[in-house]
Amino acid sequence: MMLSRPKPGESEVDLLRFQNQFLEAGAAPAVKLVKGSRRHGDAPPDQLPSQDHRDVVMLDNLPDLPPALLPAPAKRARPSPGRPLPHDEDPEERLNRHDQHITAVLSKIVERDTSSVTVTLPVPSGVAFPPVFHRSQERQVRPAASGKRSIFAQEIAARRVSESRVTSAEQVVPSLDTPEGAVPCETPSFRDRSNQLPGRSHGFHRPNLVTGKGLRSKAAEQEVQTIHEENVARLQAMDPQEILKEQQQLLAQLDPSLVAFLRSHSHVQGQTGAKATKKQSPERPSVLVTKEEPVTSTRTTRTGDKLEEKPEATVEDKMEDKLQPRTPALKLPMTPSKDWLHMDTVELDKLHWTQDLPPLRRQQTQERMQARFSLQGELLAPDVDLPTHLGLHHHGEEAERAGYSLQELFHLTRSQVSQQRALALQVLSQIVGRAQAGEFVDRLVGSVLRLLLDAGFLFLLRFSLDDRVDSVIAAAVRALRTLLVAPGDEELLDRTFSWYHGASVFPLMPSQDGKEDEDEDEELTTGKEKRKTPEEGSRPPPDLARHDVIKGLLATNLLPRLRYVLEVTCPGPSVVLDILAVLIRLARHSLESAVRVLECPRLMETIVQLFLPTSWSPVGVGPTPSLYKVPCAAAMKLLRVLASAGRNIAARLLSGFDVRSRLCRFIAEAPHDLALPPEEAEILTTEAFRLWAVAASYGQGGDLYRELYPVLLRALQTLPTELNAHPLQPLAMQRVAALLTLLTQLTLAASSIPPEPASGPAESCGLAIPSSVTWTQVSGLKPLVEPCLKQTLKFLPRPDVWNALGPVPSACLLFLGAYYQAWSRQPISSVNPLVLQSSLCPEDWLQDMERLLDESLLPLLSQPPLGSLWDSLRDCSPLCNPLSCASTPEALPSLVSLGCAGGCPPLSVAGSASPFPFLTALLSLINTLVQSHKGLCGQLSAVLTAPGLQNYFLQCVAPAPAPQLTPFSAWALRHEYHLQYLVLSLAHKVATLQPEPAASTALHHAIALVLLSRLLPGSEYLAQELLLSCVFRLEFLPESASGGPEAADFSDGLSLGSSGDPRCRRGALLVQACQDLPSIRSCYLAHCSPARASLLSSQALYRGELLQVSSLLLPIPKEPLLATDWPFQPLIHLYHRASDTPSGPPAADTVGVAMRVLQWVLVLESWRPEVLWAVPPAARLARLMCVYLVDSELFRETPIQRLVAALLALLCRPQVLPNLKLDCPLPGLTSFPDLYASFLDHFEAVSFGDHLFGALVLLPLQRRFSVTLRLALFGEHVGVLRALGLPLTQLPVPLECYTEPAEDSLPLLQLYFRALVTGTLRAHWCPILYTVALAHVNSFIFCQDPKSSDEVKAARRSMLQRAWLLADEGLRQHLLHYKLPNSSLPEGFELYSQLPRLRQQCLQTLPTEGLQNGGVKT
């Protein structure tokens, strides 16, 4: 009995049933289990287990309980039964005999004896190597009956069969010679044969669909062939038209999905057959076709001059076109075969990438296309056709277009292949660099940098820095440097370091977050890091980066990661330089960022120890394999930028990081002796000088001067030799300028007076330590620097050499100015008498200055090339060329940059041909000399009369829009303002000493007023000095002594007529204002002076009080120090104070301040109108209205009345009135209608019919202004009409400004009519507005505009009818007979004596009852 095995799905009940069936049947089991004993000593030999070399563990006879934990007896070796252990056998030999390792097998190989074997030579072959066997070449042979045969055996058998076939064919078929003129062609492929006519039977070689795969019979192939022959015979018996008809019937009956399957199946087989028939097999010989027998007929068509052959379509082609789908077939470079490994099922969708690229589509429209870039970051044109071997074609969207889009590059940065990530970062870096250079401005819409940052490019770089692959880290660091650091910015700041206050720079920080960092420019006296605000600490990095990229980066722990890369990974030189450049950019951001860089754990220690060593191996010229343990100039520059951020940082660098010894090491030796490449040695020495100069700016580093004094003297002695070199080396000139800047700061340090101790203990703890440099230590430097100045001045007539000198001449002049300034500050009483005679004698000072003037300055002032420098001021001025400071299109508010990526043009403030650095230094020296030696004023005042300077000043005060305040414009304007201030300072000294005013005094006063409104933060001391010196000095108002007041009265008499009271004339008011200039100055000093802390910081910087300088970082230039309307500033303060305190300020203070402001504004309006050009007339009118809103009694004061009347008359002049525009936004005012509403409330409450007050109320009601102002008066403040009794003769503007053109606001016309009818508006109460209302209502009711709406026509008819029915005869007469306004008449208008004919016709259209009641009156 044969029992079945258990099947899947059967349960345990089925298994029990199988067991019962087996036991009932009593059959013998298929497997017999034999349990053996563990000890076979007593068992018979036949029951012993078979000898097996495997280790077998028997688990029989095991006890049920674990053994007791007792000491086991000693074991004794006992041989197994049947295997006695011989005593004389070596164990090693026994192990070798039973060893089964492969080495044992190989050691026993015995070579076969081939001495009797016959050796034959190989058969010659035509190929060098035998053909390689592929699985696709496997023959379809039936396996042998004996079993499975190997591939090698099958190949040998197939080769024997083919050889036998060839041999038999050669014996049976004779060779065929190719006839002359015949062309051999290959056998038609399966696809070609299927396209032939049905009548040719050889086209149907085998069935296409019927394969007989499911038949089990041995004659399956014969049956399939029989069916195929029947089908072929039936098709041959049919005509082509019958075949097409039957085909259409079949297609109509079959399922469309089945038809699609059959078509695809036929298509795949056709491709396979076509590919297979291209290789001719030995059993299929080629067919010969002669030239006289064409294969297909052709049709010739002429296209232009060329002949093209097009084959005629056969019937089968038409049939195939109907069967094949309309979509083009997929063309692959190879034909897939089912014999390929793991390619049994061909997925055509996944093979699309192997086909050829589609043709490039030409863009014919103006639609925007996605930008694509090359691997070098270049923007590719949409229609550019590049070869594919460049690697710019891919398999994403728009595969036919070359290049990668930003989205695809972002996707590539997340690749698992490190090379692809590095490549994507490199391409993005180059795109950013080209975008910053402005290459995409005219070719792309929008900003590339803004798009990248919005897409998260910043954090993509930060994540890439955490990669494990060095190449990806290097690419991320380079991209980060490209994004943050503008090479032109650093070059500009380095090149201008030796300018006049060139070491002080603005922080590269956005101004949006200025409210959180208002005090970042002040040094932390306690030395602790400034803590973040709670708002900043809680904000995530993306939000911080949206407003400030640097803050967002610092919030991602960037500094510890950069320290790890430098300290642990030890990257190459390029990565090290990129990291140092990024750190320099972070330090330039703000004081807080500099402190974070300084206090990052082990960051600065790593940089100082690894890249600023005191000993190193010599480095030759050429690429350096590693920067580790080699001095690096970028590391020294990083220390210098950090020290510029604050006094405490500089002190910590000098003391905590052993920077003193490194400065000594790099300065003690000349650059050519430092065992470094020449260029690197020059830059390293220059940066060492600059770092020391920054420390000396705080009064630090004086002990180094004593140690390196011989080195500095030796360097000064070699300057003439270096200046005579030809050609001059730019790096050497920068080093010389840095040396002179260092000596300048050390000289100022010798004259610094320690600050007075503060009263409070909290302030006294932060006092600076006095400088250790004394005057005697620096007094010997001048004889070495002065010859250098004379030598450089000789090159002034040679522009090429002069430009190559760079900042060296300026640095020489600045040193001499600092030298004489420090000399004048030395206390004579405490000087050693032995030194007094040679150093500090006042007579010696004067003689030395006169000698310098005679030998150097006067020859310089007389040289024509100096005049060309003055003439070039206009060409290089940012004020005269505002477009030169325009922000770049790629400028981002969250990432501040100076925008100097392309360099500065030569004729610019920072260009190579700029006159600003030299002329500023020259003016600084001249001011110092004139301050100390008053006798030199007359000779040096010739500088002020230079024609180029006069033309430059005339263009600066000309009405022009102020340049846009950008980071670069703030930097450039600061240096330009330095030159203007020094000119004004010299002009003030000259005006004080010379009794006769110069011809250019008025121009200098205008420049002082304009400069005062343009000075930027950090120049508080300059603004204070201008207020004290030039602005309110009578010497700068030559009009007061040259008939200015009389000219003002004459002008008013011509335009406004003569006034009755001479004291009310403008001339008398101007004379009084000139007499009150000291009081006016005190008023403005009290209200316009900057904050005390900022003023003291700026004063210490400009006066050279180094011990009080806290930082070289200036405040953020968000806006100028003073507003453009600063002359009205005290009056605005009064208005705000009155708004905050309803009781108001004291009357005396209010009247005095208001009168001084009005006096000064009257002076400016009369003699300096160009200064107020930046304040629109509407803004000036709003400021005048504030006089009435300050206090209820202020406008009643007689001086105030006279001044306001004079200013109102100036605003209403014919040349000013057209510029009075109240509808545009006004600076400092949120809404003029709101101000006017408050003005109406105040007039209604406290005016009591004041005529001047009423004139200000009437001025905004002109017809050309917004109707909102008129609606506010006639709708909400109609009570004002009772007190607005200004006569027509006192109206400051013509009456036609109110009556022309005709009013078109229907609500206002209805209010006009209601005020007239109800008696609210009467001629003796408000004659001006009564005339205005009459004019507009009369024009409206008699208007004949056919385009008016029905509502307007109905309102016009109703208003005319009501006017006709008025009981007030006088008002009706005025409304109907009004003609035109006339200010000369008492009533202010003229009337018709008889109504015109058109008006009579209008009255006749009224209802009959209306006419009967009143009749037409003429």
Side-chain angles (χ1 to χ4, degrees), residues 1218-1267:
N1219 297 326
L1220 184 64
K1221 301 176 181 179
L1222 303 178
D1223 302 334
C1224 58
L1226 301 178
L1229 193 64
T1230 56
S1231 173
F1232 186 84
D1234 294 343
L1235 177 66
Y1236 187 69
S1238 302
F1239 197 70
L1240 291 177
D1241 290 337
H1242 205 67
F1243 177 83
E1244 190 174 3
V1246 301
S1247 68
F1248 294 99
D1250 184 80
H1251 288 176
L1252 185 59
F1253 204 161
L1256 287 173
V1257 171
L1258 290 172
L1259 192 60
L1261 298 179
Q1262 300 178 49
R1263 176 64 182 88
R1264 62 191 180 94
F1265 296 142
S1266 174
V1267 69

Side-chain angles (χ1 to χ4, degrees), residues 624-842:
T624 305
S626 176
L627 289 182
Y628 284 80
K629 296 299 182 180
V630 176
C632 182
M636 185 66 71
K637 181 180 178 179
L638 173 62
L639 299 182
R640 188 250 299 179
V641 175
L642 288 175
S644 302
R647 168 186 295 274
N648 290 345
I649 295 179
R652 292 175 62 180
L653 287 175
L654 291 178
S655 59
F657 296 94
D658 197 20
V659 176
R660 297 176 184 269
S661 62
R662 285 162 170 80
L663 286 177
C664 294
R665 175 66 179 86
F666 301 134
I667 294 177
E669 288 185 302
H672 58 270
D673 296 333
L674 284 178
L676 291 173
E679 182 177 351
E680 184 70 15
E682 288 282 0
I683 301 177
L684 179 63
T685 307
T686 303
E687 290 298 335
F689 281 138
R690 289 172 179 170
L691 174 58
W692 191 3
V694 170
S697 301
Y698 306 124
Q700 303 172 2
D703 52 345
L704 290 176
Y705 180 71
R706 293 193 301 269
E707 298 179 14
L708 298 176
Y709 183 76
V711 177
L712 297 179
L713 288 183
R714 185 175 66 249
L716 286 176
Q717 292 171 357
T718 59
L719 288 186
T721 305
E722 296 188 14
L723 293 176
N724 283 330
H726 183 76
L728 297 175
Q729 301 297 327
L731 294 179
M733 295 300 100
Q734 291 293 332
R735 173 175 53 83
V736 172
L739 172 61
L740 294 174
T741 303
L742 167 63
L743 298 179
T744 302
Q745 298 300 326
L746 291 174
T747 304
L748 290 175
S751 65
S752 298
I753 302 175
E756 298 179 0
S759 58
E763 298 179 358
S764 62
C765 63
L767 294 180
I769 302 175
S771 175
S772 58
V773 181
T774 61
W775 171 250
T776 56
Q777 295 174 348
V778 299
S779 59
L781 298 177
K782 175 182 171 294
L784 298 176
V785 177
E786 190 173 352
C788 298
L789 174 63
K790 296 178 181 179
Q791 186 175 356
T792 56
L793 294 180
K794 295 179 182 179
F795 298 118
L796 184 58
R798 301 170 56 184
D800 53 342
V801 182
W802 178 258
N803 295 336
L805 286 172
V808 174
S810 306
C812 293
L813 293 173
L814 293 175
F815 171 79
L816 292 178
Y819 180 85
Y820 287 112
Q821 179 181 351
W823 196 355
S824 63
R825 291 181 180 179
Q826 299 305 314
I828 301 179
S829 59
S830 61
V831 175
N832 188 352
L834 298 177
V835 185
L836 177 62
Q837 185 177 0
S838 61
S839 299
L840 297 179
C841 181

Side-chain angles (χ1 to χ4, degrees), residues 136-183:
S136 59
Q137 298 176 359
E138 182 181 356
R139 300 293 189 268
Q140 299 294 334
V141 296
R142 299 178 62 87
S146 59
K148 184 177 179 180
R149 301 176 62 183
S150 65
I151 296 177
F152 181 75
Q154 296 176 15
E155 178 66 17
I156 295 299
R159 186 173 301 176
R160 292 177 178 175
V161 171
S162 62
E163 291 177 356
S164 62
R165 290 181 179 178
V166 172
T167 305
S168 60
E170 290 177 354
Q171 296 177 357
V172 176
V173 182
S175 61
L176 298 176
D177 297 334
T178 303
E180 183 179 359
V183 180

